[in-house]
Amino acid sequence: MCGIVGVVFAEPPTGSDAVDVVLRGLKRLEYRGYDSAGVAVQIDGHGLHVTKRAGKLSALLDAVEGADGVAGSHQVGATTAIGHTRWATHGAPTDVNAHPHLSADGRVAVIHNGIIENYTVLRAELATRGISQVSQTDTEVVAHLLGVTLEDARTAGESITLGEAMRRVCRRLEGAFTLLAVSADHPGVIAAARRSSPLVVGVGDGAMYLGSDVAAFIDDTRNAIELAEDQVVEIDGRGARITDFYGDEVSGRAFTVDWDAAAAEKGGYESYMDKEIDEQPRAVADTLRARVDLSGRLMLDEIRISEDELRAIDKIIVVACGTAAYAGMVARYAIEHWCRIPVEVELAHEFRYRDPIVGARTLVVAISQSGETMDTLMAVRHAREQGARVLAICNTYGSTIPRESDAALYTHAGPEVAVASTKAFLSQMTASYLLGLYLAQLQGTKFADEIAEVVDQLHAIPDKIQKVLDGMDYVREVA
Ligand code: GLU
């Protein structure tokens, strides 16, 4: 979702080094939006050094220069570094949850964009080996898995590359990911992987780059290689080796970046809105991700209101402002149709003053992209004072509205920069459908097979949106 950058120099550079290049790349990726940032540098003879901070990039830059920062004297001339800007999906935006994450032995550092769907299973498996997590993220399991994969290989007397460890780990992962890893025991190398998340390789003169898009390295090179689904790439300072997850070599598609730097900051689009429109299939798919089990049953474990309380709900009020209120109207259709519970949609600024009838069996659903919409927040506080249970549908992890609500259902649309809402709106609609189906499942107003059928249809929607987007030339012509 957010920003990823990596660089390996063939020779220790003079002047700027790998950390400078990564920080510059993160600055270029700022346009994507983020809530925290971090960098890991691999220093020959000194292992890995990680610095990360919640908040703005300036906080990271200060920390890098600070007493414990990676910019200590031994870092000058560093050849290998990775950096990340995070948009939290699992775990609040804190220093600890910021990336990179380290393996238990501290010898591998990982950054990740996306969602690891089966992280709870992997986390439980790691616990049986005595490895516990220090963060609340889904990402941390990948760092530990790489650590144990390398350790197991060593114990078996097998010497494997970081790329091979990455392939073995990727075969076990479900979900969407761009991953970059550096290891203290594999100097001058970055191993990276992608599935349903973007990753490009930059080919420089005496240096190789990785980025979640070309903006990450556009100051340094315009020669790039695009990776396909389910591929692993290993770069050193001189070149890249690309394989599938099983080790068969493949060749990436080479291309030359012809955008100027300003266009690159919008991912090559004319406007953020164009870019975000194109991100809609992904936003819907990510909002649906990991919320349905194999039998089509919804698992919204993150809603921490008890099932008994939700079964007793006999009235729902959606409070929201602007676009989110339109998503609320869709929620009304879905919930009334599937659950036979009356739903009111109320503009948040009216809610407080109208003196609505709210009781312990009322569920107030607050929808807000940012989680900071002041009128919606005031409505949430008012509803709770009146004894209602409040559930937030929100796109920004750890923001005020979900924090002050009884439960949150996060949309995973990624940051939305344009004022006119596109992908965030679609993901709010998707979350509203999930909520409606979940209530129907709990209240028994729909049979399991009926719910599973709607869920199947929801999963088909990202491809359908993509088809519409693919036909935009025709739409333009007709318009
Ligand atoms: N799921 C990961 C997290 O919450 C990565 C989020 C991102 O794409 O930035 O930390």
Side-chain angles (χ1 to χ4, degrees):
M1 271 178 211
C2 294
I4 280 210
V5 47
V7 62
V8 184
F9 285 100
E11 302 291 338
T14 45
S16 73
D17 72 3
V19 176
D20 299 322
V21 172
V22 162
L23 292 173
R24 186 157 28 90
L26 290 181
K27 189 97 199 108
R28 280 249 177 260
L29 293 174
E30 255 191 317
Y31 78 91
R32 298 169 79 104
Y34 62 98
D35 55 44
S36 27
V39 50
V41 56
Q42 182 258 311
I43 302 149
D44 292 350
H46 293 275
L48 300 178
H49 202 134
V50 171
T51 306
K52 51 192 192 168
R53 285 293 181 277
K56 288 282 153 210
L57 215 46
S58 54
L60 175 69
L61 298 183
D62 288 347
V64 163
E65 296 298 332
D68 300 329
V70 294
S73 55
H74 55 272
Q75 168 254 311
V76 173
T79 60
T80 311
I82 57 176
H84 185 262
T85 47
R86 175 175 187 236
W87 181 263
T89 65
H90 292 69
T94 58
D95 288 355
V96 171
N97 287 336
H99 301 209
H101 291 284
L102 285 170
S103 58
D105 59 7
R107 314 246 354 126
V108 179
V110 168
I111 54 178
H112 164 225
N113 283 167
I115 297 170
I116 306 295
E117 285 180 22
N118 56 337
Y119 78 100
T120 40
V121 177
L122 297 170
R123 195 183 269 188
E125 180 191 309
L126 287 161
T128 64
R129 291 185 67 142
I131 296 176
S132 53
Q133 313 278 312
V134 292
S135 77
Q136 286 90 49
T137 62
D138 51 335
T139 305
E140 195 186 333
V141 292
V142 180
H144 293 307
L145 284 174
L146 281 169
V148 298
T149 303
L150 288 165
E151 187 191 312
D152 288 351
R154 258 193 311 273
T155 316
E158 198 189 356
S159 147
I160 62 170
T161 62
L162 190 57
E164 175 55 18
M166 181 64 94
R167 281 188 286 275
R168 291 183 189 181
V169 169
C170 284
R171 297 202 288 264
R172 308 209 46 214
L173 302 179
E174 288 165 22
F177 46 84
T178 299
L179 293 163
L180 260 61
V182 285
S183 152
D185 304 308
H186 300 81
V189 170
I190 302 175
R194 73 158 290 213
R195 165 181 289 168
S196 305
S197 242
L199 176 63
V200 275
V201 180
V203 183
D205 188 11
M208 294 291 290
Y209 306 83
L210 291 162
S212 41
D213 66 51
V214 295
F217 49 72
I218 197 157
D219 292 328
D220 302 291
T221 180
R222 288 176 173 271
N223 299 322
I225 305 170
E226 191 180 278
L227 265 72
E229 275 294 276
D230 285 9
Q231 293 187 341
V232 165
V233 59
E234 221 174 346
I235 61 165
D236 57 22
R238 294 188 170 77
R241 182 172 174 264
I242 307 174
T243 68
D244 62 19
F245 283 177
Y246 293 89
D248 287 330
E249 260 187 71
V250 290
S251 49
R253 189 184 71 85
F255 65 102
T256 310
V257 183
D258 50 13
W259 310 332
D260 60 19
E265 295 205 346
K266 295 193 191 80
Y269 290 89
E270 258 177 48
S271 70
Y272 288 117
M273 190 170 162
D274 282 308
K275 172 177 165 288
E276 287 158 9
I277 285 172
D278 255 12
E279 288 169 353
Q280 288 177 118
R282 170 91 200 271
V284 172
D286 281 349
T287 300
L288 292 170
R289 205 174 286 291
R291 282 167 168 165
V292 184
D293 71 12
L294 290 175
S295 63
R297 237 183 109 72
L298 288 157
M299 315 173 296
L300 302 188
D301 316 340
E302 57 208 291
I303 296 185
R304 300 168 313 269
I305 301 175
S306 78
E307 296 197 352
D308 280 343
E309 274 179 282
L310 288 174
R311 268 188 211 104
I313 294 298
D314 61 6
K315 177 179 177 178
I316 293 177
I317 306 177
V318 180
V319 290
C321 295
T323 305
Y326 292 113
M329 291 178 186
V330 176
R332 173 168 62 199
Y333 272 86
I335 298 170
E336 288 193 339
H337 179 62
W338 289 324
C339 312
R340 312 310 298 161
I341 304 173
V343 181
E344 292 169 19
V345 183
E346 182 87 45
L347 288 170
H349 58 271
E350 303 285 349
F351 179 77
R352 260 191 313 160
Y353 303 106
R354 187 176 63 94
D355 191 19
I357 302 167
V358 173
R361 296 174 68 178
T362 308
L363 179 69
V364 169
V365 178
I367 309 181
S368 166
Q369 191 280 129
S370 65
E372 302 295 343
T373 316
M374 193 45 76
D375 285 321
T376 308
L377 176 61
M378 292 302 161
V380 166
R381 288 183 181 159
H382 183 66
R384 295 195 75 202
E385 278 161 18
Q386 305 293 307
R389 303 298 257 156
V390 179
L391 182 145
I393 293 181
C394 184
N395 193 37
T396 312
Y397 215 99
S399 54
T400 313
I401 291 173
R403 270 196 283 115
E404 293 207 10
S405 300
D406 297 295
L409 179 56
Y410 284 103
T411 54
H412 294 310
E416 189 172 70
V417 180
V419 174
S421 183
T422 54
K423 62 173 182 167
F425 173 65
L426 277 193
S427 68
Q428 287 166 350
M429 280 175 47
T430 309
S432 298
Y433 284 136
L434 287 175
L435 177 63
L437 290 170
Y438 184 60
L439 291 173
Q441 178 176 293
L442 286 179
Q443 299 208 344
T445 48
K446 284 274 159 215
F447 290 115
D449 59 335
E450 293 173 316
I451 294 173
E453 196 188 320
V454 183
V455 166
D456 275 353
Q457 289 170 2
L458 282 177
H459 278 117
I461 285 184
D463 279 349
K464 292 183 180 176
I465 301 172
Q466 191 58 55
K467 259 198 202 123
V468 175
L469 294 175
D470 292 344
M472 281 312 274
D473 287 345
Y474 174 71
V475 173
R476 257 184 222 107
E477 205 177 300
V478 172

